[in-house]
DNA sequence: GTCCTGTCATACCCGGTAGGTATCACTGAG
DNA sequence: CTCAGTGATACCTACCGGGTATGACAGGAC
């Protein structure tokens, strides 16, 4: 094989090891035994002629080149699975009616329903409107959905999602609020600052995954919005959300505006190289909202 | 293998067939026999559950899904080889002194030397300047160099290069000129329009590859700038170039401004997901030019 | 109609290699 | 010193990627 050609399998293996920093766990995640994984990584290092991992006395760490390959390899794997996903959709293998003109729009499940509804209504009125499948995603997963081709287009929220590599159009800007248990001391305040809510001893800030991993901290790890709502209602945590989150607050919650939180900008984003006419129509509609 | 995982090898094979639209030629290009290639494509179609090629009585054509996979597959292959290239450079495998802080800048060999010199001088004066390796490329190849990781950053020229998927910064705008044999009738004119030069019977417009393929037309196919210069000098062709091409004109050439040609915008462009500090410094320098 | 040619598919075989199991070598903790 | 935990090595097997030979089929020439 040419020395500048990596196999998808090799990239998958390396990314797994680089993320786990542990051959055993990585092998388990990959559903294989540890020795062939070790060997595959060694072959990879020999092939590209670069050392990717430091094997220390206890465990593994990334070299500089390893960090580059982790980063670039993830992008390459995303592009590869995106090719598979989009091809399958274009062929209509997952839509029983055959290859229809259909777009998959990824949205944050906890996001503003209002903006989405306006967009869908406006687009449905367009003359050549394609069918839109709305794909609700977890708290910050639209970005991954778009990168690996599960979606054709997404509503994303800067600065939480990175728009790098996508084309995008700005739709809306809003402030952020702190969502507190209604009975809490801070809930009585008219406004709050980030410092006010980030270091409350009895109310640790909720954490949710960014790009698959949780930031370390004392607060609870959040998997979905309902769980978060419950934890807040129980007085166990506090969360910071865009203003439109008011739509799903419970009676047990209190929203207090944050004065110094960065504004959240909602964009409609799509792969920069996309050539879909249906997508172009949707974007035009969105830009005119 | 999971159904949404394509191997690099499969993508390479499919892209070759999709570009050649002929199994035999594609197999030859891939350095293999035709039957295993046929089988590999069939397996690929079965795996993703979509028909990619129409096998007609005589030859092959792409289905809609096939066109999608050609497009997305090229991007995925580029991302994969980019991972290999950038990793190898990060490890210093091709720079004998080890993993140095070095950036590869792709430029059009026939481009403006002046702007490049200014950029390099300004950056060299920066406090933490990395080593810049200037990689001269063919007439429109910088884009490919950047996409497949042979370069870290490039000077690109809209509208000839597509900036899709890159971050970029505008550097310069210039008009276009027609480069004619000095003795030709049109060379006496003060200005010309595109229509004037595009249909001259005795002077067909030169053609050079865009993304690897030549546009059809009567004019000669150009491989490098010297060859083009010679053909013009011999009175065999005419070419349209940005204004800065005046720098390499011969005595046998005449440059005439074009009134209705789109302006050419030179950008500095880099992969949107890049994290290199050295690159950030170069971009900052370029933006201040 | 009958060739003949060009094209992709099928049949069958072989060797390389990806993956498994068993084990080793090393290092820190107790 | 022993033991637990880690990655590397040795060795074997089975699969599959690739090769050659050939088939099936469609047009074109006449």
């Amino acid at each position: 094989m040419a020395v500048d050609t990596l196999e998808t399998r090799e990239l998958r293996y390396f990314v797994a090891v680089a993320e786990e920093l542990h051959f055993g766990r990585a092998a388990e995640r990959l559903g294989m035994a540890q020795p062939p994984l070790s060997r595959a990584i060694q072959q990879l290092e020999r092939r590209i002629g670069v050392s990717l991992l430091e094997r220390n006395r206890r465990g593994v760490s990334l070299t500089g080149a390893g960090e580059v390959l982790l980063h670039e390899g993830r992008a390459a794997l995303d592009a590869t699975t995106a090719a598979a996903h989009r091809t399958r959709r274009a062929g209509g293998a997952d839509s029983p009616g055959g290859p229809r003109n259909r777009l998959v729009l990824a949205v944050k499940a906890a996001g503003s329903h209002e903006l989405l509804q306006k967009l869908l209504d406006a687009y449905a009125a367009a003359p050549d409107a394609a069918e839109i499948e709305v794909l609700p995603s977890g708290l910050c997963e639209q970005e991954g959905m778009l990168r690996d081709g599960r979606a054709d287009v997404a509503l994303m929220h800067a600065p939480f999602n990175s728009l790098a590599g996508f084309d995008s159009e700005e739709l809306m800007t809003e402030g952020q609020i702190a969502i507190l248990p209604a009975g809490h001391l801070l809930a009585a305040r008219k406004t709050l600052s980030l410092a006010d809510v980030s270091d409350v001893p009895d109310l640790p800030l909720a954490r949710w995954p960014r790009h698959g991993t949780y930031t370390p901290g004392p607060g609870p790890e959040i998997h979905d919005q309902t769980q978060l709502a419950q934890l807040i209602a129980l007085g166990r945590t506090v969360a910071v959300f865009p203003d439109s989150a008011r739509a799903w607050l419970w009676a047990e919650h209190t929203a207090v505006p944050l004065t110094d939180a960065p504004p959240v900008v909602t964009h409609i984003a799509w792969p920069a190289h996309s050539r879909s006419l249906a997508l172009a129509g949707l974007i035009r509609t969105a830009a005119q909202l």
Side-chain angles (χ1 to χ4, degrees), chain A:
Chain A
M1 186 187 333
V3 69
D4 61 351
T5 311
L6 301 183
E7 284 303 319
T8 305
R9 183 179 52 85
E10 299 179 293
L11 284 177
R12 251 195 353 257
Y13 289 2
F14 175 75
V15 168
V17 174
E19 285 179 354
E20 300 284 348
L21 291 177
H22 189 290
F23 279 80
R25 280 196 301 274
E28 188 182 8
R29 197 173 108 183
L30 293 165
M32 65 188 291
Q34 169 259 319
L37 179 58
S38 280
R39 203 183 42 190
I41 300 290
Q42 288 175 66
Q43 285 175 351
L44 176 62
E45 287 181 300
R46 261 209 318 279
R47 271 250 313 287
I48 58 182
V50 158
S51 150
L52 301 170
L53 299 167
E54 299 277 1
R55 281 86 162 168
N56 328 22
R57 35 287 191 105
R58 212 152 191 87
V60 183
S61 63
L62 286 172
T63 65
E67 301 214 26
V68 169
L69 186 57
L70 175 58
H71 189 220
E72 301 273 337
R74 276 174 175 153
L77 285 176
D78 277 343
T80 305
T81 68
H85 284 139
R86 300 216 165 94
T87 302
R88 184 153 333 112
R89 273 214 303 284
D94 62 351
S95 60
R100 279 184 301 217
N101 200 14
R102 164 191 280 227
L103 286 174
V104 175
L105 170 66
V107 300
K108 191 176 66 172
S112 157
H113 191 67
E114 193 184 338
L115 176 69
L116 177 60
Q117 194 65 56
K118 259 199 326 193
L119 174 60
L120 292 178
D121 289 347
Y123 182 63
D128 51 352
E131 191 179 343
I132 303 274
E133 178 183 338
V134 177
L135 181 65
S137 71
L139 284 168
C140 258
E141 296 171 33
Q142 319 94 291
E143 190 185 329
M145 301 248 164
L146 200 51
R147 290 198 190 280
D148 74 4
R150 281 171 292 171
D152 299 306
V153 53
L155 293 185
M156 303 232 278
H157 306 279
F160 305 125
N161 299 119
S162 157
L163 295 170
F166 298 129
D167 280 353
S168 66
E169 196 78 52
E170 207 173 305
L171 294 186
M172 183 179 81
T173 301
E174 56 191 327
Q176 294 196 68
I177 54 175
I179 306 178
L180 299 144
H184 193 272
L185 192 67
L186 290 176
R189 303 266 295 269
K190 273 277 174 279
T191 66
L192 290 167
S193 71
L194 279 175
D196 289 333
V197 297
S198 59
D199 276 321
V200 192
D202 64 331
L203 214 57
L205 206 56
R207 295 173 300 127
W208 47 86
R210 291 281 297 272
H211 314 121
T213 55
Y214 288 89
T215 52
E221 300 190 344
I222 303 303
H223 304 295
D224 60 64
Q225 179 236 319
T226 311
Q227 176 206 0
L228 174 65
Q230 194 160 43
L231 285 171
I232 297 175
L234 293 170
R236 309 296 282 271
T237 191
V238 56
V240 173
F241 260 77
D243 211 66
S244 55
R246 291 176 188 276
W248 53 262
L249 292 194
W250 298 0
E252 296 90 341
H253 298 155
T254 299
V256 178
L258 286 163
T259 52
D260 59 348
V264 175
V265 185
T266 302
H267 296 82
I268 184 168
W270 62 95
H273 63 268
S274 178
R275 292 176 168 178
S276 155
L277 286 177
L279 176 57
L282 179 65
I283 293 158
R284 206 174 324 112
T285 304
Q288 289 164 359
L289 281 184

